[in-house]
Each structure stands twice: as C-alpha cells, then as structure tokens.
C-alpha cells in the first residue's frame, strides 16, 4: 500500500505535497519522494525511511521550486525500501515522472519488451515500466492523454497514478484502477490524492475517481476522460468529515474498515503468487530438494497468528503429508525444545516485531534449522531475522484486533502447503488448478459475506450482555473457533472460550446454562455429523446455538437457533470465509457495548516485550 499526491496551482508545490503525504503515511512509510517542475526541468528528491527525512532533505519543501508536482509515500512491494526504488520514477530523459499506488501485475513481461527496445531500468519496481512505457508512446508522437490511455490498455493489475510531463508543465494526469484516487478542487490550485485527508486542508470539494477514469488537472481546470480518452462529466462532492474520521475512510472504526479490506488483502497476497495455474513462491529461494527434505514443520507465533498456524497444521498434514507442530512462541522459547534435522521453522507475525516470535526464530537459527517468516511489515525485525521471508500484502493494519492481516496469513500458508504438496508429488495438476480456482473466488465470496453485515449486527445486539460464550468446532473448524473467540473477548471483554467440540463433554460442558451462547463452527463435511452431535449435547443443556456452516448444510437449522451461512469452498479454505461473520460479530458486540473498538483495554498492536 502506498499514498500518492499531486498539486498544480499558484503556490509552491513541495510544501503542499509534503503536507498531503503526512496524512497518507498510514498507507506506507518506508520511503518517500516528490517530483516538481521547476520552470525548466523536472526536479526530484527521494528519501528512504519516514517522510520526515524527505522533509529534512528539502527543508520542508522550500528547496524545491515550482508550482506543480507529485509525491509518494511507499510501502514496498516490488524491490526493497531504498532511494532507488522510491517513487517518483522517471523516463531516461527525465521528462516524465510517475508516482504509483498499486501493483502492475504484468510488469515483468512489459519490462522484458522495453529492455529489448533499448530501455534501461534503474529500480526493481513494477512502477518503472509505466514511466518507460509513457516515454515510448510519447516518442511515437502521441499527446500525453493518448499516452495515458495506451498505457492503461497495456498494464494489468491495480494502479492509481500521478504523472507530469516536462513538455506540458501546467498539467497533472491521473488515473486509477482498483487503487483509490480522489481529485480536490482547491481555491488556488487543484490536487490529487489517494485519500481525502491529504486534501482537506485545501478543499472540501472532492471528485471520487472511478475505475479507468482519467483526470487532467491544471491550475484553473479539472477535466475527466474515459479509458478511450473521451471527455466525461463528473459531479464533485462536499466532504463534511473531520480529518480523523476521514482517515478511517468514512468508517466508524479502523477495525470495520480493515474487515472491508479483506477481499483486497486476499487478492494482493494471492495474485502475484499464482502463475500458469501453479503456485510461484520463488521469492523464498527454496529449492525443490529443500522442500522434499523437510521432515517436520514447526510453526511459532502468538495471538491470532498462532491461530493461523493451527489452521495450517490441518492443511499441511492433510495436503502435503508433512507433520506439523504449532507452538505458542513464548512456550517454545522457554521449553528447551527439540528440533529435528530438516525441520522447517515457520514464524508468523503481522508486525514482525513480536518479541517472543523473534526470539523463537533466533533460537531455531542457532539450532541450525531453516527459518521462514510470514510477515506483514517489510523490513521488520522478524523479516530480517529469518532466513526466508514471505510477505503478506495486507498493508498497514491500525486496529489492535487483527482482521485483514490474519486473512492474509491464511492465504500465505495455503500457498506454502500447495507448493510443498506439489513438489512432493501429492497434488496432481488438475487438483492444483481447482484449488487455485477456489482461492481466486475467495475475495468475491468475502464481499458477499460483508454484504450481510446488518444481519450479524442485529444478532450481535442481542448478545451484548452475554457473560460467557463458547466457540466449538473440530479440525479446521476448531482453529476458526479459536480466532472467533479471541476476537470477541479482546474487544468486547466478554469471557469466551474455544473448545475442540469433542472435548467439551470432558468438563467444560458443566458451564453451559440456560441461554449460554454456543457458537458452533461446522464447515468440514467429514466431521459435520460429529459436530452436530456436539451441538445437540449443548442444546439439550439449554444453550442458544449460533451455527456457522456452509451452504448445503441447511439441515443444521433443525438443531441451531441461528445460522450464518458461508459460500461453498474447498475444505482447506473454509477458515477464510467462516472468520468473516465471527469478526463482524465481535466487532458489533463491542460497538453495541460502546467500547473503543480500535484500542481495547490492556492490549497493544505490537508486543515487543516478553
Ligand atoms: C498482539 C496483538 C494480536 C496479535 C499478536 C501477535 O497480541 O494484539 O492481534 O495477533 O500480538 O502479533 P504479531 O504482530 O506477531 O502477529
């Protein structure tokens, strides 16, 4: 995730760009840059690290002259955070500058073609192809608008672009597809930005740019065009949010905003790793021999990340036939653990900074084992500590209770299991194809579940006064229950426990009273009848049953009091869908109780103490 801004008007551009970027730092903050037309040429500055370093380098923008410019704050995807990889990216003549938020999925193919045509690349980014492609079309005699439309026809993926041409020093071109973009109509100039807060200081009149629309801004005009360069009309909207609310993109809390970002998170973590109907995780640099040699997998993690590990145990063991142990990192550390030869240690962490997980990785390395980190924050400690890194592309997560990072971790783990199963000869090509097809459906299916949120809210409102809630399930459904239970307790402060459904009768069932809420997860066909029996045991003792099951299991309505259905998917991927209503349930109970959802008491987002 990155943030882009642009300004053209009467004032000096660079200070305005820096101010706008400061409101977008939540979108990424590993490097930043600006390009400004200074009256004779495009001048640019970049800095690795937080935005303040770019401010210092340019004396708060004072050193960059000119009243038109574009800026960028980066959250690295392609290429490590560095000045070279920071935006803006320029053509070789430095007459065209581009800032980009998103991922150009076919950049490798385009880059190859451009290299064959004599273009030289400086960075490892996907964005640089856009600068060279614009150059190519411009030199072929097209005007800037035609260049932009031609580029739109060539690139695949997601993008919000800000572009300036030295030959057209009074115009900014901007376009989006699947990445956010707004245009602000200011008094002494006009602006582009990834999000509203970046322009609120200058204007409340905003145009929301739709997919494949182009905006051309100059000091006194804003024009819009479609993907074929035909002019279109757009209506501006007056924003009445305060800056704080706007940073939540109009949502009441970051948590609900982040839940809504899950389809994108799943897509972003998945799509770059699917190539030619197979899983491509070459980024790990693991050879097939190394994969075949794995004798056991040890997963170490804390909190929700640990729960994704529990899911992964079921998936790896069933699909890739590799034994898996899942350890809470703080337990692993102090147990004098035994790692066997060729045991792969996988550390899972959103922040990449959790002290216990980091130390577990260190220990495993010291024992001579291969370590692989699944991490959301580029360049974080755990990412640096582990030998191999697989990033989840969830973007910055602000709410303390994790939602979208959890979903991204699941995807990374499914992909690893599929790759390992494939290399070990356990996944025929047609099965691989069908698994990939099911994975690709997940974002849309999550959208569908989000469409039902009002129903979940109504249900949640009935249980705001609950004292105890039990979550039960078997197999992967047990792993889902663990996360559902954690979500509820961490933000609503209601006591809740997750139990392996078959284990409940060995003690805990004594806690079930008339009206106790039992959330039963039953998505796995092979154990469905067993879970239903456990549901009946609870119901007989007076429990109110909320069932979460897959479409097709409507017979559950005979035993459950309330049912939340999830669409059908492969048995391995049910967690990615079933967790959505449970996250929403936790969220709405907390809202119903009037709590500060994003900042639950006693908790921290990143736990860097033991
Ligand atoms: C904290 C957070 C949890 C998170 C856990 C692990 O407790 O509140 O949401 O699951 O840390 O964090 P990590 O960054 O390692 O995933």
């Amino acid at each position: 995730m990155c943030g882009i801004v642009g300004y053209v008007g009467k004032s000096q551009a660079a200070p305005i760009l820096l101010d706008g970027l400061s409101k977008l730092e939540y979108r990424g903050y590993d490097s930043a840059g600006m390009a400004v037309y200074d009256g004779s040429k495009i001048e640019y500055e970049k800095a690795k690290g937080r935005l303040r370093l770019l401010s210092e380098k340019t004396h708060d923008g004072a050193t960059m002259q000119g009243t038109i410019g574009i800026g960028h704050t980066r959250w690295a995807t392609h290429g490590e955070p560095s000045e070279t990889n920071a935006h803006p990216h320029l053509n070789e003549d430095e007459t065209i500058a581009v800032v980009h938020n998103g991922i150009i999925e076919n950049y490798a193919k385009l880059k190859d073609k451009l290299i064959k045509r004599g273009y030289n690349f400086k960075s490892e980014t996907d964005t640089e192809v856009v600068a060279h492609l614009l150059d190519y079309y411009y030199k072929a005699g097209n005007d800037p608008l035609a260049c932009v439309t031609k580029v739109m026809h060539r690139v695949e993926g997601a993008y919000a672009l800000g572009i300036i041409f030295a030959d057209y020093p009074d115009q900014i071109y901007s376009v989006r597809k699947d990445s956010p973009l707004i245009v602000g109509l200011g008094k002494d100039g006009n602006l582009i930005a990834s999000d509203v807060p970046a322009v609120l200081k200058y204007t409340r009149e905003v145009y929301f740019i739709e997919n494949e629309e182009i905006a051309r801004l100059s000091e006194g005009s804003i024009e819009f065009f479609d993907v074929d360069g035909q002019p279109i009309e757009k209506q501006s909207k007056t924003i009445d949010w305060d800056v704080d609310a706007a940073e939540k993109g109009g949502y009441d809390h970051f948590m609900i905003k982040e839940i809504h970002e899950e389809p994108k998170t799943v897509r972003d973590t998945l799509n770059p790793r699917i190539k030619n109907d197979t899983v491509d995780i070459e980024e790990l640099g693991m050879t097939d021999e190394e994969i075949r040699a794995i004798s056991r997998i040890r997963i170490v993690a804390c909190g929700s990340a640990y729960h994704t590990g529990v899911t992964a145990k079921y998936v790896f063991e069933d699909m890739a036939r590799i034994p898996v142990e899942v350890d809470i990192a703080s337990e692993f550390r102090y147990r004098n653990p035994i790692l066997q030869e060729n045991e792969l240690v996988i550390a899972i962490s959103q922040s990449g900074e959790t002290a216990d997980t980091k130390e577990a990785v260190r220990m495993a390395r010291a024992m001579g084992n291969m370590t692989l980190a699944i991490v959301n924050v580029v360049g974080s400690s755990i990412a640096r500590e582990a030998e191999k890194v697989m990033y989840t592309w969830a973007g910055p997560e602000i709410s303390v209770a994790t939602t979208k990072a959890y979903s991204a971790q699941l995807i990374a783990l499914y992909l690893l299991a599929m790759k390992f199963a494939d290399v070990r000869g356990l996944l025929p090509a047609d099965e691989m194809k069908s698994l990939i097809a099911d994975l690709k459906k997940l974002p849309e299916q999550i959208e569908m579940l989000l469409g039902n949120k009002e129903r979940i809210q109504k249900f949640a409102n009935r249980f705001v006064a609950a004292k105890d809630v039990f979550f039960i399930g078997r197999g992967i459904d047990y792993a889902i229950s663990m996360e559902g239970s954690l979500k509820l307790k961490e933000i609503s402060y209601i006591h809740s426990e997750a139990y392996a459904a078959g284990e409940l009768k060995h003690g805990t069932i004594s806690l079930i009273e008339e009206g106790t809420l039992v959330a039963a997860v039953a998505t796995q066909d092979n154990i469905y009848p067993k879970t239903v029996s456990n549901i009946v045991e609870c119901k007989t003792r007076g429990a109110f049953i909320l069932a979460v099951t897959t479409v097709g299991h409507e017979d559950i309505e005979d035993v459950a009091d309330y049912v939340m259905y999830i669409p059908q998917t492969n048995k391995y991927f049910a967690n990615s869908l079933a967790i959505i209503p449970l996250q929403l349930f936790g969220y709405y109970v907390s809202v119903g109780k009037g709590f500060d959802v994003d900042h639950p008491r006693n908790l921290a987002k990143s736990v860097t103490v033991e």
Side-chain angles (χ1 to χ4, degrees):
M1 206 150 96
C2 303
I4 69 167
V5 292
Y7 170 81
V8 49
K10 291 192 175 69
S11 307
Q12 193 183 355
I16 296 174
L17 298 176
L18 283 171
D19 177 66
L21 290 175
S22 73
K23 307 292 189 314
L24 298 177
E25 249 199 320
Y26 78 93
R27 304 179 61 82
Y29 39 80
D30 58 39
S31 52
M34 296 185 283
V36 167
Y37 184 77
D38 69 2
S40 60
K41 62 177 187 321
I42 294 178
E43 194 196 344
Y44 57 94
E45 280 294 352
K46 304 177 182 189
K48 183 184 164 191
R50 299 296 294 258
L51 183 64
R52 116 183 109 68
L53 298 170
L54 182 66
S55 298
E56 280 166 17
K57 216 170 169 180
T58 62
H59 298 271
D60 295 326
T63 59
M64 294 182 84
Q65 297 303 317
T67 58
I68 176 169
I70 50 178
H72 189 267
T73 180
R74 182 166 186 249
W75 197 83
T77 55
H78 294 65
E80 58 169 16
S82 67
E83 277 196 18
T84 314
N85 289 332
H87 300 214
H89 292 285
L90 290 92
N91 62 336
E92 279 178 74
D93 301 342
E94 302 193 341
T95 53
I96 303 172
V98 178
V99 289
H100 168 217
N101 164 214
I103 292 179
I104 306 295
E105 284 166 10
N106 61 338
Y107 82 100
K109 218 159 78 188
L110 293 171
K111 189 169 175 174
D112 276 356
K113 286 193 179 154
L114 286 161
I115 289 171
K116 282 192 191 116
R117 287 190 176 127
Y119 282 89
N120 294 306
F121 282 75
K122 288 187 186 148
S123 77
E124 301 154 273
T125 64
D126 51 333
T127 306
E128 202 181 346
V129 298
V130 176
H132 292 315
L133 212 50
L134 284 166
D135 177 273
Y136 172 76
Y137 288 124
Y138 190 61
K139 288 194 174 134
N142 296 287
D143 65 18
L145 181 62
C147 292
V148 172
T149 62
K150 285 187 188 304
V151 166
M152 288 164 75
H153 286 293
R154 293 297 299 277
V155 299
E156 290 162 18
Y159 49 83
L161 299 167
I163 305 161
I164 53 172
F165 291 79
D167 292 347
Y168 293 79
D170 55 349
Q171 294 177 348
I172 295 177
Y173 286 82
S174 197
V175 57
R176 69 156 274 202
K177 182 174 162 279
D178 295 334
S179 291
L181 180 69
I182 58 116
V183 168
L185 177 61
K187 280 201 184 64
D188 77 345
N190 296 316
L191 304 107
I192 60 163
S194 297
D195 200 356
V196 174
V199 305
L200 278 183
K201 195 161 156 189
Y202 309 97
T203 180
R204 285 179 182 266
E205 279 303 297
V206 162
Y207 294 93
F208 288 88
I209 308 304
E210 301 299 332
N211 267 350
E212 303 200 314
E213 288 179 353
I214 303 166
R216 179 164 67 194
L217 287 72
S218 59
E219 184 199 315
S221 77
I222 302 176
E223 301 157 277
F224 300 102
F225 304 91
D226 69 12
V227 66
D228 297 315
Q230 296 303 311
I232 50 171
E233 293 289 320
K234 284 186 76 69
Q235 290 298 317
S236 65
K237 289 201 169 71
T238 307
I239 303 293
D240 55 6
W241 309 332
D242 62 39
V243 172
D244 253 16
E247 281 178 0
K248 291 175 191 143
Y251 290 98
D252 290 342
H253 301 98
F254 281 107
M255 183 174 172
I256 191 71
K257 177 172 183 246
E258 288 161 3
I259 291 175
H260 277 85
E261 285 166 358
E262 289 184 69
K264 176 172 166 21
T265 292
V266 166
R267 219 175 271 131
D268 290 351
T269 305
L270 178 69
N271 286 358
R273 292 167 173 138
I274 300 293
K275 292 195 187 118
N276 306 323
D277 287 329
T278 189
V279 174
D280 180 342
I281 44 171
E282 258 180 32
E283 63 198 286
L284 292 182
M286 260 179 116
T287 63
D288 286 359
E289 286 65 44
E290 283 170 334
I291 293 173
R292 273 187 218 105
I294 296 168
S295 61
R296 187 162 72 181
I297 293 173
R298 165 91 38 178
I299 297 179
V300 288
C302 303
S304 298
Y306 169 77
H307 297 156
T308 65
V310 177
T311 307
K313 175 180 171 70
Y314 292 103
V315 179
F316 274 112
E317 291 193 344
D318 193 62
M319 193 194 284
R321 303 303 294 149
I322 304 172
V324 179
E325 296 290 327
V326 196
D327 256 317
I328 292 172
S330 54
E331 287 297 308
F332 175 84
R333 282 182 65 179
Y334 294 107
R335 197 182 62 233
N336 197 8
I338 301 165
L339 294 181
Q340 60 190 35
E341 214 191 326
N342 293 323
E343 182 164 340
L344 170 69
V345 176
I346 302 181
I348 310 170
S349 173
Q350 185 282 127
S351 62
E353 300 298 341
T354 304
D356 285 317
T357 311
K358 184 164 75 183
E359 193 49 40
V361 172
R362 269 197 202 133
M363 280 173 64
R365 278 199 88 160
M367 289 186 221
N369 287 70
M370 185 187 278
T371 52
L372 189 167
I374 296 180
V375 176
N376 195 42
V377 179
V378 176
S380 56
S381 302
I382 294 171
R384 287 197 309 261
E385 202 71 52
E387 205 177 315
K388 320 256 176 213
V389 188
M390 186 171 183
Y391 284 109
T392 48
W393 300 122
E397 194 180 54
I398 295 163
S399 178
V400 166
T402 180
T403 51
K404 60 176 182 167
Y406 172 88
S407 282
Q409 286 163 359
L410 287 175
I411 299 297
L413 288 160
Y414 302 152
L415 291 172
L416 269 184
M418 286 159 69
K419 177 71 185 176
F420 288 4
D422 183 23
V423 171
R424 293 162 81 103
L426 295 169
L427 204 57
D430 55 333
E431 268 179 50
M432 173 66 98
K433 230 174 148 174
S434 126
L435 286 172
I436 290 174
D438 283 332
L439 278 177
K440 285 193 164 169
K441 277 188 218 147
L442 289 176
E444 216 173 285
Q445 292 174 322
I446 296 173
E447 299 274 10
M448 242 177 75
L449 289 164
L450 292 174
N452 258 336
K453 63 182 177 188
E454 275 82 22
R455 183 170 176 260
I456 295 169
Q457 181 169 20
K458 274 191 202 132
F459 178 78
N461 285 340
R462 287 166 64 181
F463 285 92
V464 288
K467 292 267 175 297
D468 301 289
V469 179
F470 295 88
F471 287 76
I472 60 168
R474 289 166 177 258
I476 286 177
D477 292 334
Y478 174 42
I480 301 169
S481 301
M482 292 168 100
E483 180 61 7
S485 169
L486 180 63
K487 281 291 89 81
L488 180 70
K489 77 180 105 180
E490 67 185 337
I491 54 176
S492 76
Y493 318 144
I494 292 174
H495 165 251
S496 97
E497 284 184 44
Y499 255 81
E503 182 65 9
L504 201 69
K505 58 176 136 341
H506 299 293
T508 309
I509 203 161
S510 65
L511 296 172
I512 306 284
E513 294 174 355
E514 195 60 38
T516 304
L517 178 60
V518 173
V521 186
T523 68
Q524 304 290 300
D525 286 347
N526 61 328
I527 42 175
Y528 176 78
K530 305 277 172 216
T531 307
V532 169
S533 303
N534 301 135
I535 291 174
V536 174
E537 288 159 14
C538 295
K539 190 155 178 66
T540 314
R541 285 154 185 89
F544 183 97
I545 306 292
L546 159 68
V548 179
T549 191
T550 315
V551 168
H553 285 309
E554 285 74 15
D555 59 303
I556 209 158
E557 296 191 15
D558 297 341
V559 291
D561 297 289
Y562 197 90
V563 185
M564 294 176 187
Y565 288 102
I566 62 161
Q568 280 180 348
T569 184
N570 190 287
K571 62 177 178 181
Y572 298 122
F573 310 144
N575 193 339
S576 292
L577 299 178
I579 200 58
I580 305 296
L582 297 181
Q583 289 173 345
L584 288 169
F585 176 62
Y587 172 75
Y588 284 121
V589 172
S590 179
V591 170
K593 295 181 93 161
F595 291 152
D596 182 355
V597 182
D598 289 330
H599 305 102
R601 69 184 182 204
N602 306 341
L603 298 179
K605 183 83 188 144
S606 176
V607 182
T608 52
V609 292
E610 296 181 9

